[in-house]
Amino acid sequence: MKPPPFDYHRPRSLGEALDVLAGTGADGKVLAGGQSLIPLLNMRLAAPAHLVDINGLTELATVEEEPGGLRIGALARHARVERSARAAALQPLLGQALRLVAHPVIRNRGTVVGSLVHADPAAELPAVLALLGGSVRLARRGGTRDVPAAEFFTGPLESAAGPGELAVSAFFPALPPRSGTAFHEVARRHGDYALAGVAALVGLDDDLRVSTARVACVSVGPVPVAADVTGACGHRPPASADWAAAARAVQDRIEPETDIHATADYRRHLTGVLVERALRDAAGEALHA
Amino acid sequence: MTTKLFGEPVQRREDPRLLTGRGRYLDDLGPDALAAAFVRSPHAHALIRDIDVSDALDVDGLVAIYTWEDLPGRLAEPLPLLIPHPALTHGRTAFPLARERVRHVGEPVVMVVARDRYLAEDACALIRVDYEVLKPVVGVEEAAQGARLVHDDVPGNVGAHLVQQAPSADGRDARELIEDAPHTLAFRLDIERSASMPLEGRGVYARWDADDSSLRVYSSTQTSTSVRMAVAAKLGLPLPKVEVIAPDVGGGFGVKIMHPWPEEVLVPWAAMLLGREVKWAEDRREHFVSSAHERAQVQFVRVGFDDDGRVLGLEVTILHDHGAYTPYGIIVPIITSTQLPGPYKLGAYRVEFSSVYTNTVQVTPYRGAGRPQAVFCMERTMDRIAAHLGLDRTAVRAANFIQPDEFPYDQGLTFQDGRPLIYDSGDYPQALRLLKELIGWDGFPARKAAAEAEGRRIGIGIGCYVEGTGVGPYEGGHVQITSDGRVHVSTGLTSQGQGHETVFAQIAAAELGVPLERVSVVTGDTRRFGYAVGTFASRAAVMSGNAIALACRKVREKALRIAADALEADPRDLEITDGVVHVAGSPKAAIPLATVAVLSNPLRYAFDAEAVRATQFAGTSSPDRPPVDAGDEPGLEGRDYYSPIRSTFASGMHAAIVETDPLTAEIRILRYAVVHDCGNLINPMIVEGQIHGGVAQGVGGALYERMVYDGHGQLLNASFMDFLMPYATEVPKVETAHLQTPSPLNPLGIKGAGEAGVIPVSAVIASAVEDAEGIPIARMPLSPSDLFDLRRAAS
């Protein structure tokens, strides 16, 4: 379990990083928190010719408010975002999700943007981005583009970030007024990737009836599965909303697979249970918002 | 014993070292040694057609590449079959490096030695092995069908077959009694594969001293003395020229009592051949696919019983999955077979096992060693009887208990040490009373009903076991008091973090009457003690503990004799307190043990002021006697051995309360209670620690851990991401109560405690989940997904 040989680069500025990535192209891999990449290297499941370590780019270690939401830089660690009062105030779902990400020692190193680029459909943060309709900012030498969540996750462990591109930040929309969020998951052990997990956002109108209900599910498809279930819930107060109908609608949408930890049927069942729980809790949060 | 240390919860003296990163584990040694790495088979079953190493030769830093063809003499032979048994008619072991054929994924094929491990792995990646892939045999039932063979010369894949019978007092056999019983039940029980999985993998580091023609080997092993003999034999070296040392070992749990591993003979051989230090430290992936697993058994039960739940006849047929080889013999299924009756008087018992080969990692003992399977079988049977008769589960157990006045109790079977299975002592009814009180058994139905009213499902479960501990043949202890008053204890068996340094020091300090701080303990170093068996079967405290006590008694006797001479007193009037020998009731007539040590060794040359007292003109010895009497030896030291007539039998009972989520099928352990009887306690805190660790591993086996092989013989979860060892967050707080029924078999009256915690856990959790769910549980481990399926099948 030692990595194959690679050239190591540690750029001192964003410009230098983009130059290096332009040069390495598809042979280059970005190292940020390393919580997924290093095990892949050690097991020789990945063998990039160049490793571009961005840990020197402290300019990317940012958590900043922007109009309409929160921008998180590529070197902001999970732990920092989890403890950020500004992040909690603007978008509580981030904190709700981050508490479920692995363990504290991993959250001390792992980065939010790194988790998005790794694009594991079992991970929490891609689901958060998908649910909120956020975006990822990709920089390359000579240009920058913002890719919306719906286009960013292209497959299991596959994202829209191309050769020569560096994900420099991600944008998470703020929680709208009279809205609430929740994240529920079932994992085999504390901190494991979830067997199934559901992030939910519920918004209420002036009469405190459900006007928006959306969920995003983990571990039940090649990418996080986002679904608008507003119609299924019914335009009703949370106490009488049809969460079960919403759960059924989501169950019909997802395509879970059987693996060594759970059958597809169990994952579908679990997702239904968690959709109900997450929507109910999110609606409760919205009532108190 | 003048100092009250035996029985005290003394803090573990090894912990400051181990907890602050100052332990010296295998890979901490030899930082400049060459590194070995192995090309291992990616196929479960294949013929090796060709090995092409040409590309690897270009790797900078490569030192050597070896295949089976390179192995000389006895190294080219199959590895030893360590524990032969007449029933193991078709024992098979692997070659150190595969010859012509591989039989499981992970079997070593090529050894590479390079400047460091990175380069060694680079070279491994460039070696091309041309395999002719064969269809593998996976799973115990496919193996038993025998349609395909793991070994061409082992018909039906059956390596061993053994029947043991314990007929009733009037000579009737189990089958007959089952036929005639008022009630009978028949069912099947499954336990899946798990593994010891120590956090430190295996590892070997060897240095060859060409000037001295001697070899020093460090191995992360549970038996340095036997590794030494195996290495000497395989490499053709004189035994005195080989030293083996077990440094700090980061857990063993059974897998490191297996030896010699291929790497344990290959690495020293390479070190000799190359004249360079060579080291191999196993990585996690290697450990999953190339060390050993355990637990997988399918067990068929037939039981006949009366209206009170008394077992009149029990018949168990076991299919044991042995993996690809049988280097450790058939210890595991023998232990299952013989420990299955537990604390019960069965009317008659018949057990039969077939041990079959599969194209998977070999099976050798893992903490519990066949007992978790046995207890799962017996205790599930007790629960089924209770359910069938509508009786309380503890009442059925109580109806079958061996009573305190029936010891020694002969189960009529032959145990793993080849000796009769005779329980030495125990008090099972009292243990059950304590357990029921601790867990609140009698009040549970009310609690359950209250939970049900809240929409919650809870259940209570119980499991009892008897564990043969402290198996022979022997261990030894050496104790030396030096002229600085320090006490040096050594024993040959090894430590893997259990606290041996602490408990052996407690024993020595108590026996000798010296302060604990003055005692140092060395284990597992053949330079200090050459005769030993090893650390397994909950035997270290019983075997080495008693041997050290006996050695201390010899030293004490000698110290009193010398002191009596010096004090002109009768040795019978002397006591030792705080390291000073004195006349009882007369503290002024005293001599420190340090001085006694000086006097014990007549000197010609003085090296310090104290030593002057032992020289020939000091006038301390009588001119009428030789300085060293006939039959005496210089020095204040002693060596003794403890060799028991047979094993001593510890026992225990566990109970748990679990909650199952009606919607998600998650299983949570709310309470876990243990009543444990290992005879006299040397250190109750260490015993509790052993129980806690055992329960944690048991929880792993009950709810989390399984080795998932696909039909191609690929292990699908060979990493800690997918092999789910429980974290602290998954392990419940363990509530314990101790019962102390001394063993009459050994001087200290102790029994082993190392494995106890793990043994009944699967049985207990199955019992509790069954109670919560009302669905029969016949297979462990049990995941939420499994429980979801069981619920659907039941509805």
Side-chain angles (χ1 to χ4, degrees), chain B residues 583-645:
Chain B
V583 177
S586 166
K588 281 192 181 156
I591 179 169
L593 277 173
T595 308
V596 178
V598 169
L599 298 178
S600 73
N601 184 20
L603 295 177
R604 182 171 180 84
Y605 310 113
F607 50 87
D608 62 15
E610 185 77 336
V612 170
R613 298 183 62 178
T615 55
Q616 50 211 343
F617 295 106
T620 49
S621 62
S622 157
D624 305 328
R625 277 169 25 202
V628 178
D629 267 332
D632 204 357
E633 290 176 357
L636 188 51
E637 61 182 313
R639 179 189 305 267
D640 209 343
Y641 293 85
Y642 172 64
S643 181
I645 182 95

Side-chain angles (χ1 to χ4, degrees), chain A residues 1-5 43-44 103 186-190 192-193 260-263 265-266 269-270 273 277, chain B residues 118 121-122 283 661 663-664 666 703-704 708 717 720-722 724-725 727 729-730 783-785 788 792:
Chain A
M1 298 229 289
K2 302 291 181 199
M43 288 193 261
R44 299 197 176 216
H103 308 276
V186 170
R188 287 294 275 116
R189 296 172 301 185
H190 178 81
D192 277 351
Y193 279 119
I260 62 174
H261 300 302
T263 62
D265 281 355
Y266 175 63
H269 165 81
L270 209 50
V273 172
R277 284 184 186 173
Chain B
Y118 292 82
E121 290 192 22
D122 289 348
D283 66 35
D661 187 305
L663 294 172
T664 64
E666 289 167 282
L703 296 174
Y704 297 99
V708 187
N717 59 338
F720 279 159
M721 225 166 118
D722 286 316
L724 307 178
M725 260 217 255
Y727 300 126
T729 39
E730 280 67 51
S783 71
S785 186
F788 172 74
R792 277 207 309 195

Side-chain angles (χ1 to χ4, degrees), chain B residues 30-298:
Chain B
D32 300 322
L34 299 174
F38 291 83
V39 176
R40 297 178 185 277
S41 172
H43 303 293
H45 199 187
L47 298 174
I48 299 170
R49 284 199 290 231
D50 184 46
I51 300 174
D52 179 359
V53 302
S54 46
D55 289 352
L57 299 177
D58 296 334
V59 170
D60 178 41
L62 176 76
V63 176
I65 298 176
Y66 304 108
T67 67
W68 178 83
E69 308 259 336
D70 300 308
L71 303 181
R74 294 189 60 190
L75 214 48
E77 297 170 6
L79 291 162
L81 200 168
L82 285 173
I83 309 180
H85 189 284
L88 180 55
T89 52
H90 294 77
R92 295 291 180 271
T93 60
F95 293 94
L97 293 170
R99 177 190 184 184
E100 293 166 6
R101 187 190 285 251
V102 287
R103 291 189 177 85
H104 68 86
V105 171
E107 190 163 349
V109 180
V110 183
M111 175 165 70
V112 172
V113 181
R115 198 169 61 228
D116 63 40
R117 178 70 184 242
Y118 292 82
L119 299 170
E121 290 192 22
D122 289 348
C124 285
L126 294 169
I127 291 171
R128 286 192 299 268
V129 183
D130 182 15
Y131 295 100
E132 181 183 333
V133 178
L134 305 173
K135 283 204 81 170
V137 178
V138 183
V140 69
E141 286 160 293
E142 185 181 335
Q145 284 162 16
R148 282 195 300 280
L149 298 179
V150 176
H151 299 271
D152 287 341
D153 56 352
V154 180
N157 292 314
V158 178
H161 178 254
L162 183 64
V163 179
Q164 287 215 54
Q165 295 238 46
S168 66
D170 58 355
R172 301 175 71 199
D173 70 26
R175 286 177 170 172
E176 205 183 327
L177 286 162
I178 294 166
E179 292 307 320
D180 293 347
H183 310 277
T184 59
L185 289 169
F187 45 90
R188 167 184 167 151
L189 299 166
D190 287 56
I191 292 257
E192 294 191 38
R193 263 191 192 219
S194 186
S196 302
M197 209 52 71
L199 285 188
E200 185 202 23
R202 299 181 291 118
V204 191
Y205 160 49
R207 303 182 196 168
W208 172 248
D209 184 335
D211 297 329
D212 188 48
S213 296
S214 69
L215 180 70
R216 180 182 296 179
V217 179
Y218 293 85
S219 182
S220 186
T221 181
Q222 291 174 231
T223 173
S224 51
T225 43
S226 193
V227 169
R228 178 191 186 209
M229 289 191 273
V231 167
K234 278 288 182 190
L235 302 185
L237 292 170
L239 192 65
K241 289 293 187 184
V242 180
E243 304 167 340
V244 177
I245 299 157
D248 282 325
V249 173
F253 310 110
V255 67
K256 294 177 185 174
I257 192 61
M258 236 312 289
H259 68 282
W261 290 95
E263 300 86 355
E264 266 172 336
V265 291
L266 292 171
V267 168
W269 170 66
M272 276 178 69
L273 208 59
L274 298 168
R276 307 272 302 273
E277 298 184 7
V278 182
K279 182 168 73 174
W280 169 76
E282 185 183 55
D283 66 35
R284 187 55 53 188
R285 202 177 159 72
E286 288 182 293
H287 189 78
F288 269 101
V289 298
S290 58
S291 55
H293 301 165
E294 210 234 273
R295 296 284 195 266
Q297 275 178 193
V298 178

Side-chain angles (χ1 to χ4, degrees), chain A residues 263 266, chain B residues 376 380 384 457 660 665 667 706 765-766 769-770 773-795:
Chain A
T263 62
Y266 175 63
Chain B
F376 184 64
R380 294 279 64 213
R384 296 261 176 143
R457 288 185 200 174
T660 57
I667 302 161
R706 44 163 61 107
I765 300 298
V769 172
E770 186 169 289
E773 293 281 324
I775 302 171
I777 304 295
R779 181 185 194 97
M780 295 298 266
L782 187 67
S783 71
S785 186
D786 297 332
L787 181 57
F788 172 74
D789 286 345
L790 287 174
R791 283 177 179 174
R792 277 207 309 195
S795 64

Side-chain angles (χ1 to χ4, degrees), chain B residues 320-367:
Chain B
H320 174 80
D321 178 355
H322 232 131
Y325 301 105
T326 45
Y328 209 78
I330 48 176
I331 290 296
V332 173
I334 287 178
I335 294 180
T336 301
S337 303
T338 52
Q339 297 262 258
L340 203 143
Y344 308 117
K345 264 186 299 196
L346 306 176
Y349 173 54
R350 181 186 194 278
V351 62
E352 170 176 3
F353 72 77
S354 297
S355 184
V356 296
Y357 289 106
T358 58
N359 288 113
T360 58
V361 174
Q362 66 196 8
V363 165
T364 68
Y366 156 37
R367 194 181 199 176

Side-chain angles (χ1 to χ4, degrees), chain A residues 5-233:
Chain A
F6 53 80
D7 287 337
Y8 176 77
H9 307 266
R10 191 175 166 99
R12 279 158 301 178
S13 69
L14 179 58
E16 189 189 341
L18 298 181
D19 283 346
V20 172
L21 285 167
T24 60
D27 293 332
K29 192 81 187 160
V30 175
L31 173 68
Q35 298 303 295
S36 300
L37 180 58
I38 296 295
L40 288 172
L41 290 174
N42 284 347
M43 288 193 261
R44 299 197 176 216
L45 296 172
H50 300 271
L51 208 59
V52 184
D53 181 349
I54 63 164
N55 282 280
L57 308 184
T58 47
E59 63 208 273
L60 299 181
T62 52
V63 181
E64 285 167 352
E65 185 169 354
E66 264 190 19
L70 191 71
R71 184 162 294 281
I72 295 177
L75 260 195
R77 316 282 172 186
H78 294 313
R80 169 144 179 238
V81 179
E82 188 186 356
R83 290 181 204 128
S84 159
R86 198 179 314 161
L90 283 171
Q91 183 45 269
L93 183 59
L94 275 169
Q96 291 163 350
L98 282 167
R99 280 195 289 278
L100 301 171
V101 174
H103 308 276
V105 283
I106 290 174
R107 298 202 289 271
N108 285 341
R109 287 297 296 171
T111 62
V112 168
V113 172
S115 173
L116 297 174
V117 176
H118 188 57
D120 193 322
E124 291 83 1
L125 290 167
V128 169
L129 196 78
L131 177 74
L132 299 177
S135 60
V136 177
R137 180 163 293 168
L138 300 175
R140 63 167 64 225
R141 191 164 64 188
T144 294
R145 60 181 181 133
D146 285 341
V147 182
E151 294 161 29
F152 187 73
F153 302 108
T154 55
L157 307 184
E158 287 172 19
S159 79
E165 281 189 312
L166 174 66
V168 289
S169 67
F171 177 73
F172 292 88
L175 184 70
R178 273 198 299 282
S179 301
T181 58
F183 204 126
H184 281 285
E185 67 176 38
V186 170
R188 287 294 275 116
R189 296 172 301 185
H190 178 81
D192 277 351
Y193 279 119
L195 298 174
V198 175
L201 174 82
V202 173
L204 306 178
D205 62 16
D206 292 344
D207 300 329
L208 299 180
R209 290 164 189 268
V210 174
S211 59
T212 317
R214 294 204 308 268
V215 295
C217 309
V218 305
S219 296
V220 287
V223 296
V225 180
D228 190 320
V229 291
T230 313
C233 293

